[in-house]
Amino acid sequence: MNTLQDARALDAQDPLRSLRDLFSLPEGLIYLDGNSLGPLPRATSARVQQAVQSEWGQDLIQSWNKAGWFAAPQRVGDLIAPLIGARSGEVVATDSTSINLFKVLHASILIAKTQANTAASGQKASKNIVLSERSNFPTDLYIAQALCAQHGLQLKLVSQGEIAGSLTPEVAVLMLTHVHYRSGHMHNMAALTQAAQAVGALTVWDLAHSAGAVPVDLHGANADFAVGCGYKYLNGGPGAPAFAWVHPRHVSAFEQPLSGWWGHAAPFAFTPGYTAASGIARYLCGTQPILSMTALECGLQVFEAAQALGGMAALRHKSLALTDAFMQLVQTQCAGFGLHSVTPAAQARRGSQVSLVCSAAPAANQPGPAHAYAMVQALIARGVVGDYRAGDASAPAAEDRLHIMRFGFTPLYTRFEDVWQAVQHLRAVLANQEYLKPEFNQQHAVT
Ligand SMILES: *Cc1c(COP(=O)(O)O)cnc(C)c1O
């Protein structure tokens, strides 16, 4: 793709092009932030209004049965299952990613400890480590820190290249985010799961940047636990319920710690003692946000429409073509400005985003690392929405210290023409040094 005409030709041939019409996108905006908050599907407003006016307004409490409110976590979970290589009945849509991580990480720690205690005495290893990446999404690390403190475990944080070598017999759980939120690097889920299980560890995968973005095969990888996010690539709306999956071999073995009544075997028996439901229902806690759940269901119905056009395989094919085109155009159109991609060039190691950084040693007329934030602001002012992620100044690995400009390419609605135009705007921001303007250098609360 070297010209606007090339981009338009690719859009005209795109077998998924009709899916864009299922979204309500602001006119003229190039939205490259669906990895942070997915846009509004066209069907959502009317459906949520119906849930408010008819299900809530007219039918009131009867809607728990009549409108299927009570079964919503499982029904919506069944729409997520095919996107992540899970089976029907194995996923619940519920709570937030942070809360679901707390539940599954707790269960995985208990299982790992029990397995270690029942191992033949000669091979008993003390399972006292939860292993993760130092640059993992912070909420995942915060939740793991609290759980490790409660269970007397150590949270060991390493850089990406050190994970495989850190899988010692002391590791109880390997907890990773499948596609890295900063770099867009995608782990080899099957290989790392196998390596973890070889030392008797369990795996917890966070699919926040994978579900709906790249094909995931939890059963194929023999993963143990997974959680993911509803408001990013699944387009469920701000604060949409997240999801949890547990491999059937573990699901009824352990209780999660938030033993609320929705996870009870018979919630409406109103008995004083807790008996966990069998299966994934026990990973529910309390009453669900039904209006948000309704919106999430609309987001997932877009994937049902995509299924008829080739599903996740077709979406992945387009996603890679979009990210390839963006990487290549940045190289050719923005040459000489010191920008480079930190997202893997290898397709198999890449999610659905491209992350750029500014040169560490900028020449005159080039932006430096500190200009990444203002570059993103200047692009937003031009109608190209990406986002900025600050580096961790005290991180030992250089890649974790980088200030990143992040661009998500959601294949459901992003056009090749959007990629072309975004790069033209990027070049203009660089050529005009728009990142030096004071208005682009003021930090907001949410970046
Ligand atoms: C977005 C994201 C979350 C979000 O967690 P919330 O509980 O929804 O705030 C968690 N983990 C990862 C890896 C994410 O990318």
Side-chain angles (χ1 to χ4, degrees):
M1 183 170 124
N2 294 310
T3 63
L4 177 58
Q5 285 65 37
D6 292 349
R8 289 188 173 150
L10 287 169
D11 286 327
Q13 297 157 15
D14 172 13
L16 302 176
R17 66 186 179 280
S18 61
L19 294 174
R20 183 178 169 89
D21 299 334
L22 301 179
F23 290 90
S24 170
L25 287 154
E27 193 61 39
L29 191 77
I30 300 177
Y31 191 64
L32 305 179
D33 217 356
N35 49 320
S36 214
L37 177 65
L40 174 67
R42 271 195 203 285
T44 305
S45 303
R47 176 68 188 95
V48 170
Q49 201 167 25
Q50 183 208 8
V52 170
Q53 293 186 340
S54 166
E55 296 175 11
W56 178 17
Q58 296 302 312
D59 294 338
L60 284 155
I61 199 154
Q62 290 184 76
S63 286
W64 285 108
N65 295 312
K66 195 173 155 188
W69 285 358
F70 190 67
Q74 286 88 345
R75 185 176 68 247
V76 176
D78 281 349
L79 294 176
I80 296 169
L83 305 180
I84 58 173
R87 299 182 192 125
S88 187
E90 291 180 356
V91 180
V92 277
T94 184
D95 297 332
S96 65
T97 306
S98 305
I99 292 173
N100 287 330
L101 188 64
F102 182 82
K103 292 183 280 193
V104 305
L105 188 57
H106 174 100
S108 69
I109 289 170
L110 291 189
I111 293 173
K113 283 191 160 183
T114 307
Q115 285 177 354
N117 287 338
T118 54
S121 56
Q123 312 164 354
K124 241 179 216 171
S126 65
K127 289 266 172 218
N128 57 7
I129 291 176
V130 171
L131 180 65
S132 193
E133 261 182 280
R134 181 188 159 110
S135 60
N136 198 346
F137 194 83
T139 199
D140 297 46
L141 300 181
Y142 304 157
I143 293 285
Q145 279 163 26
L147 275 169
C148 283
Q150 284 168 24
H151 292 273
L153 300 182
Q154 180 205 344
L155 177 61
K156 183 171 178 180
L157 300 178
V158 299
S159 67
Q160 180 200 305
E162 297 167 337
I163 297 169
S166 303
L167 284 166
T168 59
E170 291 75 35
V171 175
V173 179
L174 173 63
M175 177 192 86
L176 291 174
T177 298
H178 180 222
V179 173
H180 199 281
Y181 79 105
R182 279 167 51 81
S183 66
H185 170 270
M186 181 164 72
H187 286 299
N188 184 334
M189 183 187 283
L192 280 170
T193 298
Q194 195 180 27
Q197 289 168 350
V199 296
L202 291 120
T203 54
V204 173
W205 291 97
D206 188 330
L207 306 178
H209 292 273
S210 314
V214 300
V216 177
D217 189 0
L218 289 169
H219 274 288
N222 196 32
D224 295 293
F225 295 87
V227 297
C229 184
Y231 54 79
K232 292 174 179 157
Y233 289 100
L234 301 183
N235 308 309
F243 64 87
W245 171 83
V246 180
H247 193 283
R249 67 176 165 265
H250 303 307
V251 73
S252 295
F254 278 82
E255 292 177 12
Q256 55 93 359
L258 301 178
S259 48
W261 68 314
W262 276 53
H264 193 283
F268 286 91
F270 293 108
T271 52
Y274 184 75
T275 309
S278 62
I280 195 68
R282 69 171 54 189
Y283 280 79
L284 300 175
C285 178
T287 306
Q288 300 303 310
I290 294 300
L291 299 178
S292 281
M293 194 76 88
T294 302
L296 174 58
E297 194 164 16
C298 293
L300 290 161
Q301 280 157 356
V302 171
F303 288 91
E304 287 191 302
Q307 196 53 42
L309 303 172
M312 280 312 304
L315 288 168
R316 175 65 168 162
H317 187 262
K318 181 176 172 191
S319 153
L320 288 171
L322 290 167
T323 50
D324 270 344
F326 184 74
M327 286 172 157
Q328 179 234 321
L329 282 177
V330 167
Q331 250 178 32
T332 54
Q333 304 275 315
C334 304
F337 290 108
L339 287 193
H340 68 271
S341 162
V342 294
T343 300
Q347 293 191 337
R349 296 278 66 82
R350 189 196 312 161
S352 201
Q353 73 181 60
V354 176
S355 302
L356 301 178
V357 297
C358 303
S359 175
N365 302 330
Q366 286 185 353
H371 291 124
Y373 175 81
M375 298 251 304
V376 170
Q377 296 306 311
L379 282 168
I380 292 172
R382 286 173 159 272
V384 180
V385 179
D387 62 22
Y388 164 80
R389 289 292 174 261
D392 169 4
S394 56
E399 78 235 30
D400 300 342
R401 297 195 294 267
L402 298 169
H403 298 312
I404 280 175
M405 297 181 274
R406 206 167 61 145
F407 303 94
F409 295 90
T410 308
L412 290 171
Y413 49 82
T414 309
R415 298 167 300 195
F416 290 92
E417 180 168 351
D418 296 327
V419 173
W420 171 266
Q421 299 296 4
V423 176
Q424 301 314 304
H425 284 293
L426 180 58
R427 185 168 64 171
V429 166
L430 290 160
N432 305 335
Q433 293 192 293
E434 289 173 22
Y435 51 84
L436 296 179
K437 292 189 180 175
E439 66 263 38
F440 300 141
N441 283 279
Q442 287 161 5
Q443 298 259 353
H444 302 290
V446 175
T447 57

